[in-house]
Amino acid sequence: AKKEGRSSTHYFNEVINQSMKKRVALENYLRLAVGNSELIPYFQPIIKIDNDVESVCGAEALLRWFHPSLGNISPAEFIPLAEETGQTLDIGEWLIEEICRIYGEWLKKGSVNLDYVSINLSVLQLQQKDFHKTILESLKRHEVPPSAVVLEITENVLVGNFDRVNSNISALRSEGIRFAIDDFGTGYSSLTYLKKLSLDIIKIDRTFIREIHDDRGDKTLVQAILNIARDFGFNVIAEGVEEEMQIGIMKELGCRFIQGYYFSRPLPADRFLEFYERFTT
Ligand code: C2E
Ligand code: CA
Ligand code: CA
Ligand code: CA
């Protein structure tokens, strides 16, 4: 038994060892990813439903990492890693510039007429003293009006240096940039946000949408969120809509903005434009 114990400890250590090695390798690969052009923003359409007329009103930029030997690595894996290692600052700055470049080109060519493109932020970015300047410079450089951009934040902005976060948000909002609260309903303090932060859009997390067609509780919750949002004057986007039945319920509840695989997965820039054209004409 003793021998067995030792070998299972050995096995356990080996597993930890392997996963740490993998992590360090991934971390090092990620440092090279921007320079090697392995990171690419994709765009997922956000659809507005107005009296049964559907239009593409926006797009959420979602980062993709294609590594030459490891293949496609999910943001669920590399974004948290980038956060923990602080790489999220460099990647985030590059990404904002890249999205502004692409969006600026669309606007110049008249390829799209969107209300906004939205960009996911890490709390680390909002804690940087001059973050608002960085983003405003990128917008200016590519002639993207601040009013055509939405920044998505999650409730972890409420922890840490909240004053810094708030002053960045105020500075950006005063320039016309809008803010969305992402994954709404999943955290502990969702309602606190609404009071503490100046926001424009609520994105209802897809866990509430997934079973909305056969879970009365979820439907009641979504209804409640919509009521609160109406009173605060926020627009609401339902995330993760995959089924026609869910669309029907969102219409019934009066939720006019929909994002999800039902309409489209996130697409590379050129394919997003194709989708836009097909949808619009
Ligand atoms: P998120 O911001 O909540 O993004 C929505 C996620 O839901 C995306 O996953 C999207 O592909 C997925 N999704 C959209 N519609 C559906 C649907 O109908 N069904 C299902 N099952 N999923 C759907 P993705 O692209 O894998 O990103 C995962 C998370 O990684 C994002 O969640 C976001 O937190 C983070 N992330 C992605 N790109 C960035 C980025 O550029 N910066 C930062 N800071 N985080 C990012
Ligand atoms: Ca998001
Ligand atoms: Ca979300
Ligand atoms: Ca999420």
Side-chain angles (χ1 to χ4, degrees), residues 144-161:
V144 175
S147 61
V149 171
V150 167
L151 298 177
E152 297 193 8
I153 59 178
T154 54
E155 78 166 18
N156 59 14
V157 300
L158 289 179
V159 296
N161 194 337

Side-chain angles (χ1 to χ4, degrees), residues 182-183 205 239:
D182 205 353
D183 304 341
D205 192 72
E239 292 193 297

Side-chain angles (χ1 to χ4, degrees), residues 46-63:
I46 298 167
I47 307 297
K48 178 178 174 179
I49 304 180
D50 229 344
N51 297 318
D52 285 331
V53 179
E54 295 169 349
S55 61
V56 185
C57 70
E60 177 179 4
L62 292 157
L63 196 52

Side-chain angles (χ1 to χ4, degrees), residues 39-183:
L39 296 182
I40 299 171
Y42 272 40
F43 298 88
Q44 186 175 32
I46 298 167
I47 307 297
K48 178 178 174 179
I49 304 180
D50 229 344
N51 297 318
D52 285 331
V53 179
E54 295 169 349
S55 61
V56 185
C57 70
E60 177 179 4
L62 292 157
L63 196 52
R64 294 290 175 263
W65 181 13
F66 300 100
H67 188 269
S69 55
L70 299 174
N72 180 2
I73 300 154
S74 159
E77 190 167 359
F78 75 81
I79 295 284
L81 183 68
E83 302 259 310
E84 287 161 33
T85 59
Q87 295 187 63
T88 199
L89 291 176
D90 286 339
I91 293 173
E93 193 172 332
W94 166 82
L95 183 65
I96 287 169
E97 175 70 16
E98 178 68 0
I99 292 167
C100 290
R101 185 185 66 76
I102 295 170
Y103 190 20
E105 214 167 277
W106 290 350
L107 292 174
K108 216 161 291 164
K109 290 184 183 156
S111 324
V112 289
N113 181 12
L114 299 173
D115 189 25
Y116 58 86
V117 166
S118 74
I119 304 172
N120 290 284
L121 291 187
S122 137
V123 59
L124 291 179
Q125 288 173 288
L126 278 169
Q127 283 172 354
Q128 295 294 296
K129 187 161 166 287
D130 285 331
F131 175 70
H132 61 284
K133 290 186 187 152
T134 314
I135 184 156
L136 292 171
E137 279 162 18
S138 282
L139 292 171
K140 205 165 183 186
R141 196 158 30 242
H142 299 285
E143 297 174 55
V144 175
S147 61
V149 171
V150 167
L151 298 177
E152 297 193 8
I153 59 178
T154 54
E155 78 166 18
N156 59 14
V157 300
L158 289 179
V159 296
N161 194 337
F162 183 64
D163 290 343
R164 186 67 74 61
V165 168
N166 227 357
S167 85
N168 270 314
I169 293 179
S170 307
L172 292 167
R173 283 190 93 237
S174 74
E175 297 287 334
I177 290 184
R178 282 168 286 173
F179 279 82
I181 192 78
D182 205 353
D183 304 341

Side-chain angles (χ1 to χ4, degrees), residues 223-240:
Q223 175 102 67
I225 294 172
L226 284 162
N227 288 337
I228 292 171
R230 200 169 299 127
D231 291 344
F232 275 88
F234 302 139
N235 279 329
V236 177
I237 301 172
E239 292 193 297

